Every structure is written in C-alpha cells, then in structure tokens.
Amino acid sequence: MKQRNILWVVLGFVVLVLAFGVVTWASTNRSEVTADAPAEVAEAFYQWYTDYARPDEAGEIRNPMTDGAYRDSEFLAPVFVEQVDDILSAREMGGGDPFLCAQDVPMRYQVGEAEIRGDGATVPVTTFWTGNPMASRFMVELGQIEGRWMITHVTCTGEPVPLTAEQTVTAFYDLYLEASQRRNLLGDGGYRHLPFLAPEFVAKVEGLEPFMYDPFLCAQDIPVEVMVGKAEIVNGVARVEVTTSFAEHGFVVELTEGEMGWQIVDVICR
C-alpha cells in the first residue's frame, strides 16, 4: 500500500512537470511571435548591417556584401540569402545595395511599425542622407520560419519622403557637425550654402559678423553631439528643443514649412 502511494505521487509529479513544460513552451512561442517582433528583427539587422559598413576604429572600411558577412546573419531567411547571392553573382560592376536600396550607407535610418498579416509582416524603413532634404523609404518583408520572424525580402520602392520638422533639425546638425570637423563654416562663409536654412535666417546670421559665438550652436566650441527633441507646432511654426553634449546646454530651433519643406528660420539661445 505504501509503495502504491509513492507510485501515485511520482506519477503526479511527472504529469505536473510535463504540464508545466507544455505551458512554458506555448508561452515561449507566443512571446516569439508578437506584434513588435518583426520591427525588432528589422531594427536588429539594420543596426548590425550599418555598423558593419561604417569605418572601424582603425579607419578600415568593410562591406557586408563583398565580405559575404550577410550570409551569417541570424535575421535573414536562407531563401533570401540565396536570392542576394544570385543578384550579386549576376552583377558585373557597381549597382545598389539590395538591403539598403542605395549605393551608400545612410547617415541614419528609422524602422517603422510592422503590419502583420497572418504568418507574414511588412516593416517600412526610412533612410536619411547627409544634406538631403528628402528621405527614402523601402519595405522589409518578414515571415515566420520555425517560430521566428526572419527577413524574406526587401522591396525597393524608390519612394521619397519629406522630412518632418525634427528630422530637418537632425539632418542640419548632422551635416553641420560633420562639416565643422574639416572647416570653419563661420569663418569661410560656408554656412550660407548649407541646406535647411531659410534665406532670412542666413541674412540674420550675416548681421552677427564678426562672430563672438556660433549662432547655430549657441556656444563658442563645437559639441560632440546634439540631441533633438520632438517638435511642437503652433500656427505653422515648429519649435524644437535641442540639447548638446555640453553640460546643461541647449537651445530652441524654429522652423516654418514651405515649398522646399521645413526650413530653419531662427535659433534661440537660452
């Protein structure tokens, strides 16, 4: 009798463990296939891809296509890897990047929200280029393969996308900081030819010469980084809060929208 009771206890424990395993397995699989998963996969892939393509600490430039590094990506479906292999092998010289739909690596990119349809999903990716008032957009297609979202195709739409107010501010300061590493834009007057600046603001800056400070940065030195906040638009004027890598330093950028898109009309130092 005692042995029979022990047997029932053991059997009950086994059933409990199996039931817990089934619940855990189901829960794990549900968490892998969530509404956010396709966008997260696209974000992870393009973060790796663009980082790989930028110069390393030694200044060496690598190319994930010519190096074949994309073949080892955990985010690409095997069938898509084969398709890219075929595209590259049939190409003689040049041609765009089938993952970026461009010949160069963008300055920035932005992954949008996923649209899920059954076992498939589409994620828009917007790319931004230094000095370009228009962004580009392409579509990343994903499918569920063995319980995981993987990229199965990239459709190059060639769709131009106007910049928002905050994207315009980001694009301007990306360009300004990069150019300032090579030349003095205030000293040689190069600021007059920069995109994103309204003519009336350029005229206002000209009136500040000789410059005691940088009127675009509200500082005497060049920061390492600027951080752009969200735009607040009132009566057609966008105000964007900007902070820099300097301690407790920031300013406000004002913009208006016209035929050329959003343009900076003033920088208000605080």
Side-chain angles (χ1 to χ4, degrees):
M1 184 69 179
K2 185 175 182 180
Q3 290 180 341
R4 183 178 299 176
N5 290 338
I6 294 175
L7 178 61
W8 280 111
V9 170
V10 172
L11 288 175
F13 178 75
V14 170
V15 170
L16 180 62
V17 169
L18 289 175
F20 177 77
V22 170
V23 171
T24 302
W25 178 86
S27 175
T28 301
N29 277 269
R30 282 197 299 270
S31 66
E32 288 179 352
V33 185
T34 65
D36 295 332
E40 291 173 358
V41 169
E43 176 69 42
F45 172 74
Y46 282 101
Q47 180 68 61
W48 167 80
Y49 195 83
T50 54
D51 285 348
Y52 188 101
R54 300 189 195 283
D56 59 20
E57 295 180 356
E60 296 290 332
I61 298 178
R62 302 180 299 171
N63 188 318
M65 283 197 307
T66 57
D67 293 351
Y70 66 89
R71 297 190 183 99
D72 299 322
S73 173
E74 62 179 305
F75 307 112
L76 300 182
V79 64
F80 185 38
V81 171
E82 293 177 2
Q83 291 174 3
V84 174
D85 285 343
D86 292 340
I87 292 172
L88 297 182
S89 62
R91 180 180 296 171
E92 295 182 0
M93 289 290 292
D97 186 314
F99 299 108
L100 295 172
C101 299
Q103 292 184 328
D104 300 314
V105 179
M107 184 69 180
R108 296 177 185 268
Y109 70 89
Q110 185 177 64
V111 174
E113 295 183 2
E115 180 181 343
I116 300 177
R117 301 176 304 279
D119 292 337
T122 303
V123 177
V125 176
T126 306
T127 51
F128 305 92
W129 311 91
T130 302
N132 194 330
M134 299 291 286
S136 303
R137 180 173 294 162
F138 55 86
M139 308 303 292
V140 177
E141 298 174 19
L142 302 95
Q144 291 181 30
I145 300 176
E146 297 182 354
R148 294 181 55 208
W149 287 105
M150 301 184 77
I151 297 174
T152 58
H153 192 67
V154 174
T155 301
C156 300
T157 63
E159 177 188 359
V161 182
L163 300 184
T164 64
E166 53 262 39
Q167 288 170 350
T168 299
V169 175
T170 298
F172 171 75
Y173 283 102
D174 280 346
L175 175 62
Y176 193 80
L177 294 186
E178 181 183 8
S180 295
Q181 295 176 0
R182 301 188 302 270
R183 55 189 286 199
N184 185 338
L185 293 171
L186 294 177
D188 64 13
Y191 69 88
R192 297 186 180 94
H193 310 294
L194 293 177
F196 312 116
L197 300 181
E200 59 269 29
F201 182 45
V202 173
K204 177 181 177 179
V205 173
E206 287 176 336
L208 298 176
E209 298 181 7
F211 299 106
M212 303 300 293
Y213 66 97
D214 188 317
F216 299 107
L217 295 169
C218 298
Q220 292 182 325
D221 298 316
I222 305 295
V224 175
E225 184 182 11
V226 300
M227 287 71 72
V228 176
K230 291 186 177 181
E232 293 184 2
I233 303 176
V234 179
N235 296 327
V237 178
R239 291 174 56 90
V240 180
E241 292 277 349
V242 177
T243 56
T244 75
S245 52
F246 296 140
E248 299 181 357
H249 178 253
F251 48 88
V252 175
V253 178
E254 290 190 346
L255 308 91
T256 58
E257 189 175 20
E259 294 182 359
M260 301 296 293
W262 288 98
Q263 288 192 310
I264 297 173
V265 296
D266 202 5
V267 174
I268 303 171
C269 301
R270 297 181 300 192

